[in-house]
Amino acid sequence: MTHRLTQRVRAFDRRHPLLWDVLLTGFFVTAALNDYLGGGWRNINANPDVPAWLLTTLTLGFSVPLLWRRTRPVTVLLVMLPLALANAWTGADLQASLTLLVVTFNIAVHTRLRTLLWSYALILAPIVVDGLRYPAEQGADQTIVPQATRLAMVAIVGISYRTRQEYLASLVERARQLEVERDQQARLATAAERTRIAREMHDIIGHNLSVITSLADGGSYAAAKNPERAAQALTAIGTTSRQALSELRRLLDVLRTDPSATEPPGAEPPGPALGTALGPALGLEPPGVEMAPQPSLTDLDHLIEGVRSAGLPVRTTIHGYATGLPPGRQLTVYRVIQEALTNTLKHGGPDATSTVSVSYGNGGAVTATVTDTGHGSTAHGNGGRGLTGMRERTALYGGTLESGPLPDHGWRVHLHLPEETPQ
């Protein structure tokens, strides 16, 4: 209960600092005037004959400046110090001089330790003057030491309060920084995921549509002269289309969110995820079907057969085995070869041929080279998303990718992934 009340008072002070300062200053002004006008000061003073005008000046001088105790504590001290010396020298000993303790506390809270030390020394001056000029019956040392100790205790309390406030402020700042870092990490992860999805969509759709286009052109040409070849082309188009839809389904299923894993208990389930919403529109199977794995190098033969059926002769040379090669590296090699063959289909011309050479080394090292005899060098190297995607995939594993025209005609894509670095 006390802690809650303290928190409310502090919150009110943060919202209305001036109002709180006015209220506190008004309290001290009222207490000081009550002590002076009520004659209570005469019970402890050493000189009851102090002039009334001086008493009034001292009373207001010790209380009114407290309005600026937090914003200008050192200035308030310098204003009060001559009054404190006059109070001690004349023997008035007004209790309003105790407000110097309030000023000391604020100096400890709002200024540096060096400022606090010399301020403490200045405040000791009127205490020493009062103890030496009007020593109590037990002696001057018995008057000065208790007051100096009390002043030191107030300073220590102020330092402790400031230290705690700084610690809490550092915790709040740290929490804010962690929140900013969390948001930045989330944005970076989102951007990386968007890039990955865009890259996958480009590879899937670009390759399969190129194959379908080539098959459709060949089937249209053969329809009048060789209906059987046209039927084969249509069958190949259907097979390629189903394969593309299957890969799109897998990619969209990755985007689907499990509400029970991300929403707190009792929360309303979110709307359909992207995969769920687009799946029926694309003719895909409904959510819940088993997701197919990403393509690997075991699917390379199937990829090349599809390209051959689209009319591009491809010769392959394989050295070594892909046994133990991580799935990520396999997918990178697969996509680079897929993109290179797709570009040959699109830009190589009707008489182009292609050669694929893959060599597996130790420790996950792979070298793949795809060359063609096409005449589409300019279009091949237009720097589109496909080439950018290949470079991004290769860079993930510290590899190199070279792409450019051959001396006579044709195009060459050379990929090299180095050995895996032990973690």
Short mmCIF file of all heavy atoms in Angstrom, two decimals, residues 327-361:
data_model
loop_
_atom_site.label_atom_id
_atom_site.label_comp_id
_atom_site.label_asym_id
_atom_site.label_seq_id
_atom_site.Cartn_x
_atom_site.Cartn_y
_atom_site.Cartn_z
N PRO A 327 21.86 -29.93 -46.97
CA PRO A 327 20.73 -29.58 -47.84
C PRO A 327 20.81 -28.16 -48.40
O PRO A 327 20.44 -27.91 -49.54
CB PRO A 327 19.51 -29.75 -46.92
CG PRO A 327 19.96 -30.72 -45.88
CD PRO A 327 21.41 -30.45 -45.67
N GLY A 328 21.31 -27.22 -47.58
CA GLY A 328 21.38 -25.84 -48.06
C GLY A 328 22.32 -25.69 -49.24
O GLY A 328 22.04 -24.96 -50.20
N ARG A 329 23.45 -26.36 -49.18
CA ARG A 329 24.39 -26.30 -50.30
C ARG A 329 23.82 -27.00 -51.53
O ARG A 329 24.00 -26.54 -52.66
CB ARG A 329 25.72 -26.94 -49.90
CG ARG A 329 26.52 -26.09 -48.91
CD ARG A 329 27.80 -26.76 -48.48
NE ARG A 329 28.63 -25.79 -47.75
CZ ARG A 329 29.80 -25.34 -48.15
NH1 ARG A 329 30.31 -25.76 -49.30
NH2 ARG A 329 30.47 -24.46 -47.44
N GLN A 330 23.15 -28.12 -51.30
CA GLN A 330 22.52 -28.82 -52.43
C GLN A 330 21.49 -27.92 -53.12
O GLN A 330 21.43 -27.85 -54.35
CB GLN A 330 21.86 -30.11 -51.95
CG GLN A 330 22.84 -31.16 -51.46
CD GLN A 330 22.19 -32.53 -51.35
OE1 GLN A 330 21.38 -32.92 -52.20
NE2 GLN A 330 22.53 -33.26 -50.29
N LEU A 331 20.67 -27.23 -52.30
CA LEU A 331 19.66 -26.36 -52.89
C LEU A 331 20.30 -25.22 -53.67
O LEU A 331 19.83 -24.83 -54.75
CB LEU A 331 18.76 -25.78 -51.78
CG LEU A 331 17.66 -24.81 -52.23
CD1 LEU A 331 16.68 -25.51 -53.18
CD2 LEU A 331 16.93 -24.22 -51.04
N THR A 332 21.42 -24.67 -53.16
CA THR A 332 22.11 -23.58 -53.86
C THR A 332 22.61 -24.04 -55.23
O THR A 332 22.41 -23.37 -56.25
CB THR A 332 23.28 -23.07 -53.00
OG1 THR A 332 22.77 -22.53 -51.79
CG2 THR A 332 24.06 -22.00 -53.74
N VAL A 333 23.28 -25.21 -55.27
CA VAL A 333 23.78 -25.73 -56.54
C VAL A 333 22.62 -26.00 -57.49
O VAL A 333 22.68 -25.67 -58.69
CB VAL A 333 24.62 -27.00 -56.30
CG1 VAL A 333 25.07 -27.60 -57.63
CG2 VAL A 333 25.83 -26.68 -55.42
N TYR A 334 21.57 -26.60 -56.96
CA TYR A 334 20.40 -26.92 -57.79
C TYR A 334 19.80 -25.65 -58.40
O TYR A 334 19.52 -25.60 -59.61
CB TYR A 334 19.36 -27.64 -56.93
CG TYR A 334 18.09 -28.02 -57.66
CD1 TYR A 334 17.95 -29.27 -58.24
CD2 TYR A 334 17.03 -27.13 -57.76
CE1 TYR A 334 16.78 -29.62 -58.91
CE2 TYR A 334 15.86 -27.46 -58.42
CZ TYR A 334 15.74 -28.71 -59.00
OH TYR A 334 14.58 -29.05 -59.66
N ARG A 335 19.61 -24.62 -57.59
CA ARG A 335 18.97 -23.40 -58.09
C ARG A 335 19.87 -22.67 -59.11
O ARG A 335 19.36 -22.09 -60.07
CB ARG A 335 18.65 -22.47 -56.93
CG ARG A 335 17.55 -22.95 -55.99
CD ARG A 335 16.26 -23.18 -56.71
NE ARG A 335 15.15 -23.40 -55.79
CZ ARG A 335 13.98 -23.95 -56.13
NH1 ARG A 335 13.78 -24.33 -57.38
NH2 ARG A 335 13.03 -24.10 -55.24
N VAL A 336 21.17 -22.68 -58.89
CA VAL A 336 22.06 -22.03 -59.85
C VAL A 336 22.01 -22.73 -61.20
O VAL A 336 21.92 -22.09 -62.26
CB VAL A 336 23.49 -21.98 -59.29
CG1 VAL A 336 24.49 -21.56 -60.38
CG2 VAL A 336 23.59 -21.01 -58.12
N ILE A 337 22.06 -24.06 -61.18
CA ILE A 337 21.96 -24.81 -62.44
C ILE A 337 20.60 -24.57 -63.08
O ILE A 337 20.49 -24.38 -64.30
CB ILE A 337 22.20 -26.31 -62.19
CG1 ILE A 337 23.63 -26.54 -61.72
CG2 ILE A 337 21.90 -27.13 -63.44
CD1 ILE A 337 23.94 -27.97 -61.31
N GLN A 338 19.56 -24.56 -62.27
CA GLN A 338 18.21 -24.32 -62.79
C GLN A 338 18.12 -22.95 -63.45
O GLN A 338 17.57 -22.81 -64.56
CB GLN A 338 17.20 -24.42 -61.65
CG GLN A 338 15.74 -24.22 -62.08
CD GLN A 338 14.81 -24.17 -60.89
OE1 GLN A 338 15.00 -23.36 -59.99
NE2 GLN A 338 13.83 -25.04 -60.88
N GLU A 339 18.65 -21.93 -62.82
CA GLU A 339 18.59 -20.58 -63.36
C GLU A 339 19.39 -20.47 -64.66
O GLU A 339 18.96 -19.83 -65.62
CB GLU A 339 19.10 -19.58 -62.33
CG GLU A 339 19.11 -18.13 -62.80
CD GLU A 339 17.71 -17.59 -63.06
OE1 GLU A 339 16.75 -18.12 -62.45
OE2 GLU A 339 17.59 -16.65 -63.86
N ALA A 340 20.57 -21.12 -64.68
CA ALA A 340 21.40 -21.05 -65.89
C ALA A 340 20.70 -21.73 -67.06
O ALA A 340 20.70 -21.20 -68.19
CB ALA A 340 22.75 -21.71 -65.61
N LEU A 341 20.08 -22.90 -66.84
CA LEU A 341 19.36 -23.59 -67.92
C LEU A 341 18.13 -22.81 -68.35
O LEU A 341 17.78 -22.76 -69.53
CB LEU A 341 18.97 -25.00 -67.46
CG LEU A 341 20.15 -25.97 -67.22
CD1 LEU A 341 19.63 -27.29 -66.68
CD2 LEU A 341 20.95 -26.19 -68.50
N THR A 342 17.46 -22.17 -67.38
CA THR A 342 16.29 -21.36 -67.71
C THR A 342 16.68 -20.20 -68.62
O THR A 342 15.98 -19.88 -69.60
CB THR A 342 15.63 -20.82 -66.43
OG1 THR A 342 15.24 -21.93 -65.62
CG2 THR A 342 14.42 -19.97 -66.73
N ASN A 343 17.81 -19.54 -68.31
CA ASN A 343 18.27 -18.43 -69.14
C ASN A 343 18.63 -18.91 -70.55
O ASN A 343 18.41 -18.20 -71.54
CB ASN A 343 19.47 -17.76 -68.49
CG ASN A 343 19.08 -16.92 -67.30
OD1 ASN A 343 17.93 -16.50 -67.18
ND2 ASN A 343 20.01 -16.69 -66.40
N THR A 344 19.19 -20.12 -70.63
CA THR A 344 19.50 -20.65 -71.97
C THR A 344 18.21 -20.91 -72.76
O THR A 344 18.14 -20.60 -73.96
CB THR A 344 20.30 -21.95 -71.84
OG1 THR A 344 21.52 -21.68 -71.13
CG2 THR A 344 20.66 -22.51 -73.20
N LEU A 345 17.19 -21.44 -72.07
CA LEU A 345 15.90 -21.64 -72.73
C LEU A 345 15.32 -20.33 -73.25
O LEU A 345 14.76 -20.26 -74.35
CB LEU A 345 14.91 -22.31 -71.77
CG LEU A 345 14.93 -23.83 -71.65
CD1 LEU A 345 13.99 -24.28 -70.54
CD2 LEU A 345 14.51 -24.48 -72.97
N LYS A 346 15.47 -19.27 -72.44
CA LYS A 346 14.83 -18.01 -72.77
C LYS A 346 15.62 -17.22 -73.81
O LYS A 346 15.04 -16.54 -74.67
CB LYS A 346 14.67 -17.16 -71.50
CG LYS A 346 13.68 -17.75 -70.52
CD LYS A 346 13.79 -17.12 -69.14
CE LYS A 346 13.52 -15.65 -69.15
NZ LYS A 346 13.56 -15.06 -67.79
N HIS A 347 16.96 -17.28 -73.72
CA HIS A 347 17.77 -16.38 -74.53
C HIS A 347 18.72 -17.08 -75.51
O HIS A 347 19.36 -16.40 -76.32
CB HIS A 347 18.62 -15.48 -73.61
CG HIS A 347 17.82 -14.79 -72.56
ND1 HIS A 347 16.82 -13.89 -72.84
CD2 HIS A 347 17.88 -14.87 -71.19
CE1 HIS A 347 16.30 -13.44 -71.71
NE2 HIS A 347 16.92 -14.02 -70.70
N GLY A 348 18.86 -18.39 -75.40
CA GLY A 348 19.88 -19.07 -76.20
C GLY A 348 19.54 -19.24 -77.66
O GLY A 348 20.43 -19.44 -78.49
N GLY A 349 18.27 -19.19 -78.01
CA GLY A 349 17.91 -19.39 -79.41
C GLY A 349 17.51 -20.84 -79.67
O GLY A 349 17.74 -21.74 -78.86
N PRO A 350 16.95 -21.11 -80.86
CA PRO A 350 16.41 -22.45 -81.15
C PRO A 350 17.47 -23.53 -81.31
O PRO A 350 17.17 -24.71 -81.14
CB PRO A 350 15.64 -22.23 -82.46
CG PRO A 350 16.29 -21.04 -83.10
CD PRO A 350 16.73 -20.16 -81.96
N ASP A 351 18.70 -23.18 -81.67
CA ASP A 351 19.72 -24.19 -81.93
C ASP A 351 20.71 -24.34 -80.78
O ASP A 351 21.75 -24.99 -80.92
CB ASP A 351 20.50 -23.83 -83.20
CG ASP A 351 19.59 -23.78 -84.42
OD1 ASP A 351 18.66 -24.61 -84.49
OD2 ASP A 351 19.83 -22.92 -85.29
N ALA A 352 20.41 -23.76 -79.64
CA ALA A 352 21.36 -23.78 -78.52
C ALA A 352 21.41 -25.17 -77.89
O ALA A 352 20.44 -25.92 -77.87
CB ALA A 352 20.96 -22.76 -77.47
N THR A 353 22.58 -25.51 -77.40
CA THR A 353 22.78 -26.70 -76.58
C THR A 353 23.47 -26.28 -75.29
O THR A 353 24.03 -25.18 -75.20
CB THR A 353 23.66 -27.74 -77.31
OG1 THR A 353 24.95 -27.17 -77.55
CG2 THR A 353 23.02 -28.17 -78.62
N SER A 354 23.42 -27.17 -74.30
CA SER A 354 23.97 -26.81 -72.99
C SER A 354 24.76 -27.98 -72.42
O SER A 354 24.47 -29.15 -72.71
CB SER A 354 22.86 -26.42 -72.03
OG SER A 354 23.39 -26.00 -70.80
N THR A 355 25.75 -27.64 -71.60
CA THR A 355 26.57 -28.64 -70.92
C THR A 355 26.61 -28.30 -69.43
O THR A 355 26.87 -27.15 -69.06
CB THR A 355 28.00 -28.66 -71.47
OG1 THR A 355 27.96 -28.96 -72.87
CG2 THR A 355 28.85 -29.68 -70.75
N VAL A 356 26.34 -29.31 -68.60
CA VAL A 356 26.36 -29.14 -67.15
C VAL A 356 27.44 -30.04 -66.58
O VAL A 356 27.44 -31.26 -66.82
CB VAL A 356 25.00 -29.48 -66.52
CG1 VAL A 356 25.08 -29.37 -65.00
CG2 VAL A 356 23.91 -28.58 -67.07
N SER A 357 28.36 -29.46 -65.84
CA SER A 357 29.44 -30.21 -65.21
C SER A 357 29.44 -29.91 -63.72
O SER A 357 29.48 -28.74 -63.32
CB SER A 357 30.79 -29.82 -65.83
OG SER A 357 31.84 -30.47 -65.16
N VAL A 358 29.38 -30.97 -62.91
CA VAL A 358 29.36 -30.82 -61.45
C VAL A 358 30.46 -31.68 -60.87
O VAL A 358 30.60 -32.87 -61.24
CB VAL A 358 28.00 -31.24 -60.86
CG1 VAL A 358 28.01 -31.02 -59.34
CG2 VAL A 358 26.87 -30.45 -61.50
N SER A 359 31.25 -31.09 -59.95
CA SER A 359 32.35 -31.80 -59.31
C SER A 359 32.24 -31.61 -57.80
O SER A 359 32.16 -30.48 -57.32
CB SER A 359 33.69 -31.28 -59.82
OG SER A 359 34.75 -31.93 -59.15
N TYR A 360 32.22 -32.74 -57.08
CA TYR A 360 32.12 -32.71 -55.61
C TYR A 360 33.50 -32.94 -55.01
O TYR A 360 34.22 -33.87 -55.38
CB TYR A 360 31.16 -33.79 -55.12
CG TYR A 360 29.77 -33.67 -55.70
CD1 TYR A 360 29.32 -34.58 -56.65
CD2 TYR A 360 28.91 -32.66 -55.30
CE1 TYR A 360 28.05 -34.48 -57.19
CE2 TYR A 360 27.64 -32.55 -55.83
CZ TYR A 360 27.22 -33.46 -56.78
OH TYR A 360 25.96 -33.35 -57.31
N GLY A 361 33.86 -32.07 -54.07
CA GLY A 361 35.13 -32.21 -53.38
C GLY A 361 34.94 -32.64 -51.94
O GLY A 361 33.86 -33.09 -51.53
#
